[in-house]
Amino acid sequence: MSSIIVVSAPFHGHVTSLLTVAESFVNRGDDVRFITGARFADRVRATGATYVPLPAAADFDDRSILESFPERARLKGITAIAFDVEHVIARPAKAQYETLMAALAADPADVVLSEPLFLGAAFLLAHPRSARPAVIFCSISALPVESRDTAPFGMGLPPARILNRPRNIALAALNRRVLRRPYRVIDDLHGEVHGTDMPGTFVDWGRRADAIVQFTVPSFEYPRSDAPAELHFVGPLSAAGSQAPLPPWWADLDGSRPVIHVTQGTFANTDYAQAIAPTLLALAGDDVLVVVTTGGRPLDTLPPLPHNARAATYLPYDELLPRTAVYVTNGGYGGVQYALRYGVPIVATGGKEDKPEVGARVAWSGVGRRIRSERPTPRALRRNILAVLNQPRYRQASRRVAADMSAAPGFAGVAEIVDRLAANPTRSAPENTVTPR
């Protein structure tokens, strides 16, 4: 039995992704603690893990960022990005680190599993391996590790066909200028703890971890000639889908019409103009069945449904996706991976956070199409949905990725890495190239 600490910044998608990991280790018999925000306490305890709260300095509700930071409302573009990195990601880092160190002092652990935005785990890596547990960087979205072969994370740009590396060098320099203030904040906080700047960049600290676990397969991720030696693709974890009961209209999914499923997930689902509303308008006159899930929001919040649409708050995905011809999403990583497990091709609209990166990989991998707009027009959606529906190459690519996912180790791969690192408590971290700022 290993002692494991799972850590996550209090972002809904990040915590939710790691709850499955925590529960799987609990079920295996490991001792698991989970450090995150207070609003996730009950969900953590439901996995069987011990909940450890973040202090107020590192806890916030990501549903109401503007209430926590009202000055954010007047910012746009790159200034808004820099503000978010500084206040939501960088400034909590020291408090995260102190909470993690207190948990380790109270009861040492063998391994720390961290998602990318919990920079307290990056601060832990400044200690020699003999004085700390192994740290595993759990990439719960598109892989953020920087590379000479990729544009900086967040730009949503796939590798260029010509002059790719010169382009990436220029974009990295631009990115450094945009983020110079939050980088300074991170370095100052790291200096308060360790007396030095933090090596590398805040998105690239996984290169210094003892292992990186990526919850997809290589066919959905950009190749990197300088990838870390300890980068492991394990595929999406086989989390149980929704156990929601079948709705009264379920018999309408009889195969007589292609099913187009549209969802905005369970978090970024308040603005239906991102995907649901324009999809309903786009396909109202087509011989398809549009199936909507609201992610828990009441059905009466939806716009009027055309005759060929059906809706539910939740649906059992393991029943729905095998019947689905096209999956329409605003770019949530978990939903995209779930659809790909069933070989369903995708149309991804634009969005914030990591969504541009997810959409870019949908297009790059060939499993679907990407619409860059966060509020696409019905015309654009109809054109792209019908292309994905009627052109076999998208489903063929999705089925290839599904086959790769079926062969991936899943949780067994994560457990093997944890067990190997726990069995070598003094092993040095791998020597990986750190991207300079």
Side-chain angles (χ1 to χ4, degrees):
M1 183 178 75
S2 295
S3 175
I4 298 168
I5 297 180
V6 181
V7 297
S8 177
F11 295 99
H12 175 271
H14 295 227
V15 175
T16 300
S17 298
L18 290 180
L19 289 173
T20 298
V21 177
E23 184 172 22
S24 297
F25 278 112
V26 169
N27 292 340
R28 198 182 75 149
D30 297 295
D31 177 67
V32 182
R33 287 170 282 171
F34 200 126
I35 301 175
T36 192
R39 76 183 177 98
F40 301 104
D42 289 343
R43 295 188 65 186
V44 168
R45 294 187 182 106
T47 69
T50 299
Y51 170 67
V52 179
L54 283 169
D59 197 3
F60 53 86
D61 190 333
D62 64 338
R63 297 170 297 184
S64 55
I65 292 295
L66 291 181
E67 294 178 13
S68 301
F69 305 103
E71 63 272 34
R72 169 67 170 78
R74 67 177 184 271
L75 303 178
K76 295 181 180 179
I78 59 176
T79 57
I81 293 171
F83 181 93
D84 291 344
V85 173
E86 177 181 345
H87 293 275
V88 181
I89 299 173
R91 292 198 178 277
K94 184 180 178 184
Q96 292 171 351
Y97 167 78
E98 291 170 346
T99 303
L100 178 55
M101 291 299 291
L104 291 170
D107 185 7
D110 300 303
V111 177
V112 172
L113 301 173
S114 176
E115 51 85 19
L117 298 188
F118 194 97
L119 294 186
F123 282 24
L124 179 64
L125 288 170
H127 295 283
R129 178 67 179 89
S130 58
R132 62 166 175 82
V135 176
I136 299 177
F137 181 95
C138 295
S139 182
I140 45 78
S141 184
L143 182 62
V145 171
E146 294 179 351
S147 166
R148 61 192 174 212
D149 299 322
T150 61
F153 189 85
M155 292 185 173
L157 296 174
R161 294 187 178 182
I162 58 172
L163 299 176
N164 182 49
R165 290 183 181 176
R167 181 205 69 169
N168 297 336
I169 291 171
L171 290 176
L174 172 64
N175 202 50
R176 288 194 296 271
R177 288 198 296 272
V178 170
L179 297 177
R180 60 186 179 276
R181 180 182 170 109
Y183 281 146
R184 186 70 260 161
V185 171
I186 293 171
D187 286 342
D188 288 346
L189 293 172
H190 195 273
E192 290 178 17
V193 175
H194 297 296
T196 62
D197 291 350
M198 191 179 85
T201 69
F202 79 93
V203 297
D204 205 40
W205 68 265
R207 282 188 177 272
R208 297 183 291 118
D210 299 284
I212 300 173
V213 172
Q214 180 65 37
F215 293 106
T216 190
V217 290
S219 50
F220 190 72
E221 186 54 66
Y222 304 144
R224 293 165 169 81
S225 60
D226 52 356
E230 284 285 344
L231 170 60
H232 304 273
F233 289 86
V234 300
L237 296 191
S238 299
S242 169
Q243 302 302 307
L246 298 179
W249 48 259
W250 187 256
D252 294 345
L253 279 67
D254 58 5
S256 61
R257 290 179 288 178
V259 173
I260 311 299
H261 174 47
V262 57
T263 181
Q264 294 180 198
T266 57
F267 185 66
N269 61 0
T270 56
D271 180 9
Y272 288 139
Q274 289 186 13
I276 289 175
T279 298
L280 291 171
L281 290 172
L283 301 177
D286 288 277
D287 189 22
V288 299
L289 187 65
V290 181
V291 174
V292 180
T293 53
T294 65
R297 294 192 69 200
L299 295 183
D300 60 12
T301 64
L302 286 169
L305 298 181
H307 72 281
N308 66 341
R310 307 290 184 271
T313 53
Y314 295 103
L315 288 171
Y317 263 23
D318 293 317
E319 297 288 337
L320 174 64
L321 290 175
R323 296 170 167 83
T324 299
V326 180
Y327 178 83
V328 183
T329 172
N330 59 344
Y333 192 76
V336 165
Q337 297 300 301
Y338 214 131
L340 289 175
R341 285 172 53 196
Y342 284 95
V344 181
I346 295 162
V347 173
T349 68
K352 298 181 175 66
E353 299 90 30
D354 61 342
K355 292 178 174 62
E357 294 292 341
V358 177
R361 284 158 174 80
V362 166
W364 172 85
S365 64
V367 302
R369 287 194 171 196
R370 170 196 189 187
I371 302 174
R372 293 177 182 271
S373 173
E374 188 175 1
R375 297 166 66 91
T377 65
R379 182 179 179 180
L381 264 168
R382 184 173 187 274
R383 181 175 64 251
N384 285 279
I385 291 171
L386 294 182
V388 171
L389 176 64
N390 295 319
Q391 296 178 26
R393 60 191 174 100
Y394 296 108
R395 182 166 288 276
Q396 291 166 359
S398 296
R399 286 175 173 170
R400 287 194 295 269
V401 173
D404 293 344
M405 289 179 170
S406 180
F411 173 71
V414 184
E416 186 279 329
I417 296 166
V418 166
D419 292 344
R420 172 169 55 83
L421 292 175
N424 295 277
T426 60
R427 180 175 179 269
S428 297
E431 292 294 331
N432 290 318
T433 301
V434 175
T435 303
R437 288 206 293 274

